[in-house]
Amino acid sequence: MLLLWGTGIASAQDIEIKDFERNYTSLIASMNPVNDNAGEACAIIRFSVRDTSFVIEPNLGVVKRINKPGEILLYVPKGTKRITVRHKKMMPLRDYDIPETIESKTTYDAVLTLSETAIARQKANKNHNVFIGAGFNILSISGPSASIGFDINHHVTEISVVYGMNKTGDLYFYDKANTLKAVWNYNALRTSLRYGYDFQPTDFLGIMPQLGVAVNMFTGSDGEESRIRTENYKKASSVSALAALRFTISFSNNFKIQLTPEYDFGVMESNNCELVCEYDSTFKSWTNGFNINLGLIIFF
């Protein structure tokens, strides 16, 4: 009854141990015995594996481990009864009840693998390469954002757009004769291209450094006292280099929320941009400034 219960638990996990049995013909545990801390010869559990990155924790510990292509050999004390197995990004198999009595100088064979559900989920994750995002820029250029990108083996390329809803105050432009030529207040539209590498320290948390370039377009609207005489100062533009650090929390394979602090520093400015930057700090911060973006990412 206990064995059946343990097997049921194993089958419900991402990780499975199958075909655990004593090997009566193998002499490897007896020909070159390894002793445990009590001076008694160990048993060997020989796991057939897809890869050797499984972490295997018997209840009495491991005296020695040997990784071979397609195999993991564990030297364990006799009387070992349970095994916990872990693998990156998988639910662990906890306290698997060994269906054999572990004896000294004896070899046991087993198959250690991922469940069909886990394998299917891994395949599904590999197909989730395209994503779209929607968010809001909080600082500097303040307004809604949208993005589209590709995530291929943690290498992420993304194009994003931010529409600035915040504006400068009214800015007055005079000619050399001190004649008022125009009154504009500006807002910004930013398009950026960025690259990052997505580190996954846990199943749910992602950290992604990003580098990129942004093109900033500034458009003036009529100020309150405007009697437009010229449109020479209506348009301005700049190019910024950017460095960012994105933090993501995964709710599922398809949905993440992200928080991205970012700093932009100007590398190129149009003549109008240089002029306005001298007189308005808000306008200047759109090219050289700190941003924070918060949003949702959906993978397909």
Side-chain angles (χ1 to χ4, degrees), residues 104-145:
S104 295
K105 298 184 179 182
T106 306
T107 302
Y108 301 85
D109 288 329
V111 177
L112 182 54
T113 185
L114 302 181
S115 68
E116 292 182 3
T117 301
I119 294 172
R121 186 167 65 249
Q122 282 189 334
K123 290 180 178 179
N125 287 340
K126 290 180 180 180
N127 293 330
H128 294 161
N129 294 329
V130 180
F131 65 87
I132 60 173
F136 196 88
N137 232 44
I138 300 172
L139 299 178
S140 184
I141 300 177
S142 179
S145 65

Side-chain angles (χ1 to χ4, degrees), residues 20-92:
F20 197 113
E21 57 186 18
R22 179 172 180 166
N23 188 322
Y24 289 93
T25 61
S26 174
L27 300 177
I28 60 173
S30 57
M31 294 288 289
N32 297 292
V34 173
N35 293 336
D36 61 19
N37 292 334
E40 191 157 6
C42 292
I44 291 179
I45 304 176
R46 183 168 55 185
F47 292 97
S48 298
V49 294
R50 296 174 183 271
D51 66 75
T52 57
S53 61
F54 288 93
V55 177
I56 308 173
E57 302 169 347
N59 68 300
L60 296 183
V62 176
V63 177
K64 184 178 180 180
R65 171 172 171 154
I66 299 175
N67 290 347
K68 294 184 176 182
E71 283 188 340
I72 298 173
L73 275 67
L74 290 189
Y75 289 78
V76 300
K78 76 170 186 178
T80 297
K81 295 181 181 298
R82 292 178 302 279
I83 295 174
T84 294
V85 185
R86 308 177 193 278
H87 194 277
K88 186 177 180 181
K89 296 186 179 181
M90 294 293 156
M91 296 291 290

Side-chain angles (χ1 to χ4, degrees), residues 207-241:
I207 301 175
M208 179 166 55
Q210 294 179 317
L211 295 173
V213 61
V215 177
N216 310 300
M217 304 297 297
F218 312 114
T219 303
S221 302
D222 296 347
E224 291 182 3
E225 301 178 30
S226 179
R227 296 180 181 85
I228 297 175
R229 297 170 179 83
T230 177
E231 294 197 356
N232 289 347
Y233 305 103
K234 184 174 183 178
K235 301 288 185 181
S237 63
S238 66
V239 176
S240 302

Side-chain angles (χ1 to χ4, degrees), residues 139-157:
L139 299 178
S140 184
I141 300 177
S142 179
S145 65
S147 63
I148 185 170
F150 303 90
D151 184 343
I152 301 176
N153 295 325
H154 300 283
H155 295 273
V156 179
T157 303

